[in-house]
Coordinates of all heavy atoms in Angstrom, one line a residue:
F163 N 8.8 9.2 12.7 CA 9.2 8.1 11.8 C 9.3 8.6 10.4 O 8.4 9.2 9.8 CB 8.1 7.0 11.9 CG 7.9 6.4 13.2 CD1 6.8 6.7 14.0 CD2 8.8 5.5 13.7 CE1 6.6 6.1 15.2 CE2 8.6 4.9 15.0 CZ 7.5 5.2 15.7
T164 N 10.5 8.4 9.8 CA 10.7 8.8 8.4 C 9.9 7.9 7.4 O 9.6 6.7 7.8 CB 12.2 8.8 8.0 OG1 12.6 7.4 8.1 CG2 13.0 9.7 8.9
P165 N 9.5 8.4 6.3 CA 8.8 7.6 5.3 C 9.6 6.3 4.9 O 9.1 5.2 4.8 CB 8.7 8.5 4.1 CG 8.7 9.8 4.7 CD 9.6 9.8 5.8
E166 N 11.0 6.4 4.9 CA 11.8 5.3 4.6 C 11.7 4.2 5.6 O 11.7 3.0 5.3 CB 13.3 5.7 4.4 CG 13.5 6.6 3.2 CD 13.2 8.1 3.5 OE1 13.0 8.4 4.7 OE2 13.2 8.9 2.6
Y167 N 11.7 4.6 6.9 CA 11.5 3.7 8.0 C 10.2 2.9 8.0 O 10.1 1.7 8.2 CB 11.8 4.4 9.3 CG 11.8 3.5 10.5 CD1 12.8 2.6 10.8 CD2 10.7 3.5 11.4 CE1 12.9 1.8 11.9 CE2 10.7 2.7 12.5 CZ 11.8 1.8 12.8 OH 11.8 1.0 13.9
V168 N 9.1 3.7 7.8 CA 7.8 3.1 7.7 C 7.7 2.2 6.5 O 7.1 1.1 6.7 CB 6.7 4.3 7.6 CG1 5.3 3.7 7.3 CG2 6.7 5.1 8.8
E169 N 8.2 2.5 5.4 CA 8.2 1.7 4.2 C 8.9 0.4 4.5 O 8.5 -0.7 4.1 CB 8.8 2.4 3.0 CG 8.6 1.7 1.7 CD 9.7 0.6 1.4 OE1 10.8 0.7 1.9 OE2 9.3 -0.3 0.6
S170 N 10.0 0.4 5.2 CA 10.8 -0.8 5.6 C 10.0 -1.7 6.5 O 9.9 -2.9 6.3 CB 12.1 -0.4 6.3 OG 12.8 -1.5 6.8
L171 N 9.3 -1.1 7.5 CA 8.4 -1.9 8.4 C 7.3 -2.6 7.6 O 7.0 -3.7 7.8 CB 7.9 -1.0 9.5 CG 8.8 -0.7 10.6 CD1 8.1 0.3 11.5 CD2 9.1 -1.9 11.4
V172 N 6.7 -1.8 6.7 CA 5.5 -2.3 5.9 C 6.0 -3.4 5.0 O 5.3 -4.5 4.9 CB 4.8 -1.2 5.2 CG1 3.8 -1.7 4.2 CG2 4.1 -0.2 6.1
T173 N 7.1 -3.2 4.4 CA 7.7 -4.3 3.5 C 7.9 -5.6 4.2 O 7.5 -6.6 3.8 CB 9.0 -3.8 2.8 OG1 8.6 -2.6 2.0 CG2 9.6 -4.9 1.9
K174 N 8.6 -5.5 5.4 CA 8.8 -6.7 6.2 C 7.5 -7.3 6.6 O 7.4 -8.6 6.6 CB 9.7 -6.3 7.4 CG 11.1 -6.0 7.0 CD 11.9 -5.5 8.3 CE 13.2 -5.0 7.9 NZ 13.9 -4.4 9.0
A175 N 6.5 -6.6 7.0 CA 5.3 -7.1 7.5 C 4.5 -7.8 6.3 O 3.9 -8.8 6.5 CB 4.4 -6.0 8.1
C176 N 4.6 -7.1 5.1 CA 3.9 -7.7 3.9 C 4.6 -9.0 3.6 O 3.9 -10.0 3.2 CB 3.9 -6.7 2.8 SG 2.8 -5.4 3.0
N177 N 5.9 -9.1 3.6 CA 6.6 -10.3 3.3 C 6.2 -11.4 4.3 O 6.0 -12.6 3.9 CB 8.1 -10.1 3.4 CG 8.6 -9.3 2.2 OD1 8.0 -9.2 1.2 ND2 9.8 -8.7 2.3
E178 N 6.1 -11.0 5.6 CA 5.7 -12.0 6.6 C 4.3 -12.6 6.4 O 4.1 -13.8 6.6 CB 5.7 -11.3 8.0 CG 5.5 -12.2 9.2 CD 6.7 -13.1 9.5 OE1 7.8 -12.8 9.1 OE2 6.4 -14.0 10.3
A179 N 3.4 -11.7 5.9 CA 2.0 -12.1 5.7 C 1.8 -12.6 4.2 O 0.7 -13.1 3.9 CB 1.1 -11.0 6.0
N180 N 2.8 -12.5 3.4 CA 2.7 -12.9 2.0 C 1.6 -12.1 1.2 O 0.7 -12.7 0.5 CB 2.4 -14.4 1.8 CG 2.9 -14.9 0.5 OD1 3.8 -14.3 -0.1 ND2 2.4 -16.1 0.1
I181 N 1.6 -10.8 1.5 CA 0.7 -9.9 0.8 C 1.6 -8.8 0.1 O 2.7 -8.6 0.4 CB -0.3 -9.3 1.7 CG1 0.3 -8.5 2.9 CG2 -1.3 -10.3 2.2 CD1 -0.6 -7.8 3.8
M182 N 0.9 -8.0 -0.8 CA 1.5 -6.9 -1.4 C 0.5 -5.7 -1.4 O -0.6 -6.0 -1.8 CB 2.0 -7.2 -2.8 CG 2.6 -6.0 -3.6 SD 3.3 -6.5 -5.2 CE 1.8 -6.8 -6.1
C183 N 0.9 -4.6 -1.1 CA 0.0 -3.4 -1.0 C 0.5 -2.4 -2.1 O 1.7 -2.1 -2.2 CB 0.0 -2.7 0.3 SG -0.6 -3.8 1.6
I184 N -0.4 -1.9 -2.8 CA -0.1 -0.8 -3.8 C -1.0 0.4 -3.5 O -2.2 0.3 -3.3 CB -0.4 -1.3 -5.2 CG1 0.5 -2.5 -5.6 CG2 -0.3 -0.2 -6.3 CD1 0.3 -3.1 -6.9
F185 N -0.3 1.6 -3.5 CA -1.0 2.8 -3.2 C -1.1 3.7 -4.4 O -0.1 3.8 -5.1 CB -0.3 3.6 -2.1 CG -1.0 4.9 -1.8 CD1 -2.1 5.0 -1.0 CD2 -0.5 6.1 -2.3 CE1 -2.7 6.2 -0.7 CE2 -1.1 7.3 -2.1 CZ -2.2 7.4 -1.3
N186 N -2.3 4.2 -4.7 CA -2.5 5.1 -5.8 C -3.2 6.4 -5.3 O -4.1 6.3 -4.5 CB -3.4 4.5 -6.9 CG -2.8 3.2 -7.5 OD1 -1.7 3.2 -7.9 ND2 -3.6 2.2 -7.5
L187 N -2.7 7.5 -5.7 CA -3.4 8.8 -5.4 C -4.1 9.3 -6.7 O -3.4 9.3 -7.7 CB -2.4 9.9 -4.9 CG -2.9 11.2 -4.6 CD1 -3.9 11.1 -3.4 CD2 -1.8 12.2 -4.3
D188 N -5.3 9.6 -6.6 CA -6.1 9.9 -7.8 C -7.0 11.1 -7.4 O -7.2 11.5 -6.3 CB -6.9 8.7 -8.3 CG -7.1 8.8 -9.8 OD1 -6.9 9.8 -10.4 OD2 -7.4 7.7 -10.4
C189 N -7.7 11.6 -8.5 CA -8.6 12.7 -8.3 C -9.8 12.5 -9.2 O -9.7 12.0 -10.3 CB -7.9 14.0 -8.7 SG -8.9 15.5 -8.4
D190 N -11.0 12.8 -8.7 CA -12.2 12.7 -9.5 C -13.1 13.9 -9.2 O -12.5 14.9 -8.7 CB -13.0 11.4 -9.3 CG -13.5 11.2 -7.9 OD1 -13.5 12.2 -7.1 OD2 -13.9 10.1 -7.5
Q191 N -14.3 14.0 -9.7 CA -15.1 15.1 -9.5 C -15.4 15.5 -8.0 O -15.7 16.6 -7.7 CB -16.5 15.0 -10.2 CG -17.4 14.0 -9.6 CD -17.3 12.6 -10.1 OE1 -16.2 12.2 -10.7 NE2 -18.3 11.8 -10.0
F192 N -15.1 14.6 -7.1 CA -15.3 14.9 -5.7 C -14.0 15.3 -5.0 O -14.0 15.6 -3.8 CB -15.9 13.6 -5.0 CG -17.2 13.2 -5.6 CD1 -17.3 12.0 -6.3 CD2 -18.3 13.9 -5.5 CE1 -18.5 11.6 -6.9 CE2 -19.5 13.5 -6.0 CZ -19.6 12.4 -6.8
G193 N -12.9 15.2 -5.7 CA -11.6 15.6 -5.1 C -10.6 14.5 -5.1 O -10.8 13.5 -5.8
Y194 N -9.6 14.6 -4.3 CA -8.5 13.6 -4.2 C -8.9 12.4 -3.4 O -9.7 12.6 -2.4 CB -7.3 14.3 -3.6 CG -6.5 15.2 -4.5 CD1 -6.8 16.6 -4.4 CD2 -5.7 14.7 -5.5 CE1 -6.1 17.4 -5.3 CE2 -5.0 15.6 -6.3 CZ -5.3 16.9 -6.2 OH -4.6 17.8 -7.1
F195 N -8.4 11.3 -3.7 CA -8.6 10.1 -2.9 C -7.4 9.2 -3.0 O -6.7 9.2 -4.0 CB -9.9 9.4 -3.2 CG -9.9 8.8 -4.6 CD1 -9.5 7.5 -4.9 CD2 -10.3 9.6 -5.7 CE1 -9.6 7.0 -6.1 CE2 -10.4 9.1 -7.0 CZ -10.0 7.7 -7.2
G196 N -7.1 8.5 -1.9 CA -6.0 7.5 -1.9 C -6.7 6.1 -2.0 O -7.7 5.9 -1.4
E197 N -6.1 5.3 -2.8 CA -6.6 3.9 -2.9 C -5.4 2.9 -2.6 O -4.3 3.1 -3.1 CB -7.0 3.7 -4.4 CG -7.4 2.3 -4.7 CD -7.6 2.1 -6.2 OE1 -6.7 2.3 -7.0 OE2 -8.7 1.7 -6.6
V198 N -5.7 2.0 -1.7 CA -4.8 0.9 -1.4 C -5.4 -0.4 -1.8 O -6.5 -0.7 -1.5 CB -4.5 0.9 0.2 CG1 -3.6 -0.3 0.5 CG2 -3.9 2.2 0.7
I199 N -4.6 -1.1 -2.6 CA -5.1 -2.4 -3.1 C -4.1 -3.4 -2.5 O -2.9 -3.3 -2.6 CB -5.1 -2.5 -4.6 CG1 -5.9 -1.5 -5.3 CG2 -5.5 -3.9 -5.0 CD1 -5.8 -1.4 -6.8
T200 N -4.7 -4.3 -1.7 CA -3.9 -5.4 -1.0 C -4.1 -6.7 -1.7 O -5.3 -7.1 -1.9 CB -4.3 -5.5 0.5 OG1 -4.1 -4.2 1.1 CG2 -3.4 -6.5 1.2
Y201 N -3.0 -7.3 -2.2 CA -3.1 -8.6 -2.9 C -2.6 -9.7 -2.0 O -1.5 -9.6 -1.4 CB -2.2 -8.5 -4.2 CG -2.8 -7.6 -5.2 CD1 -2.3 -6.3 -5.3 CD2 -3.7 -8.0 -6.2 CE1 -2.8 -5.4 -6.3 CE2 -4.2 -7.1 -7.1 CZ -3.7 -5.8 -7.2 OH -4.2 -5.0 -8.1
D202 N -3.3 -10.8 -2.0 CA -2.8 -12.0 -1.4 C -1.9 -12.7 -2.5 O -2.4 -13.0 -3.5 CB -4.0 -12.9 -1.0 CG -3.6 -14.2 -0.4 OD1 -2.4 -14.7 -0.6 OD2 -4.4 -14.8 0.3
L203 N -0.7 -12.8 -2.2 CA 0.3 -13.3 -3.2 C 0.1 -14.8 -3.5 O 0.6 -15.3 -4.5 CB 1.7 -13.0 -2.8 CG 2.1 -11.5 -2.8 CD1 3.5 -11.3 -2.3 CD2 1.8 -10.9 -4.1
E204 N -0.6 -15.5 -2.6 CA -0.9 -16.9 -2.9 C -2.1 -17.1 -3.8 O -2.0 -18.0 -4.7 CB -1.2 -17.7 -1.6 CG 0.0 -17.7 -0.6 CD -0.3 -18.3 0.7 OE1 -1.0 -19.3 0.8 OE2 0.0 -17.7 1.7
S205 N -3.1 -16.3 -3.7 CA -4.3 -16.5 -4.5 C -4.6 -15.4 -5.5 O -5.4 -15.6 -6.4 CB -5.5 -16.7 -3.6 OG -5.8 -15.4 -3.0
C206 N -3.9 -14.3 -5.4 CA -4.1 -13.1 -6.2 C -5.5 -12.4 -5.9 O -5.9 -11.5 -6.6 CB -4.0 -13.3 -7.7 SG -2.3 -13.7 -8.1

């Protein structure tokens, strides 16, 4: 599955559920970590 195809599926699913997901890649003293923040677009 290409990243573009996965992104398309996730976007459609998020639209269906009325949510938005934001991904951040960061680093701290323990190393790298990914952070996903999921927002409910109705209530924030």
Side-chain angles (χ1 to χ4, degrees):
F163 296 106
T164 62
E166 296 82 9
Y167 184 72
V168 172
E169 192 274 334
S170 173
L171 282 172
V172 170
T173 297
K174 290 174 185 174
C176 286
N177 287 339
E178 186 76 17
N180 205 22
I181 59 176
M182 179 176 66
C183 298
I184 297 178
F185 177 80
N186 299 309
L187 180 64
D188 209 345
C189 185
D190 62 14
Q191 69 271 23
F192 303 110
Y194 287 97
F195 63 94
E197 172 187 61
V198 178
I199 303 172
T200 305
Y201 293 95
D202 180 335
L203 296 177
E204 294 174 48
S205 69
C206 294

